[in-house]
Amino acid sequence: MRCPFCGAEMEEGRLIGNKFKMKFMPDDKGLLLGIWAMDGIPLGKKSFPGRAVIPDTWRCERCGKYIIDIAGSEKKAKETA
């Protein structure tokens, strides 16, 4: 895949969470007690206790942008279940 920002070839991979599920936090939302993302939007599917995986991810080494296909990841999870 070509980067839509700079045109370089992107590296395909996946995002893997460590201990907690990854979440998208809108700028207008805050953390509960400064640590919990209660209003966050969960990303990926849990695969191992506490680990979230988003398989459809591309990274541009040149400009540092990432493209994450959440819809594609959810479709793959349903197909393999």
Side-chain angles (χ1 to χ4, degrees):
M1 169 185 266
R2 291 241 170 245
C3 177
F5 298 94
C6 73
E9 190 63 32
M10 299 185 83
E11 177 181 23
E12 186 172 1
R14 62 194 183 281
L15 287 180
I16 299 177
N18 223 357
K19 292 182 179 181
F20 304 101
K21 193 166 192 175
M22 294 174 285
K23 293 184 177 181
F24 171 79
M25 283 294 290
D27 283 341
D28 63 342
K29 303 288 182 186
L31 298 174
L32 179 64
L33 301 176
I35 38 178
W36 289 296
M38 301 304 288
D39 291 328
I41 299 166
L43 302 175
K45 298 288 181 188
K46 279 192 174 181
S47 63
F48 186 74
R51 180 178 288 173
V53 177
I54 303 172
D56 298 323
T57 304
W58 292 265
R59 177 183 76 96
C60 180
E61 187 174 352
R62 183 188 293 167
C63 69
K65 303 280 193 236
Y66 287 77
I67 295 177
I68 304 166
D69 184 3
I70 300 297
S73 299
E74 290 176 2
K75 184 179 176 184
K76 279 186 181 178
K78 288 178 184 176
E79 290 172 356
T80 59

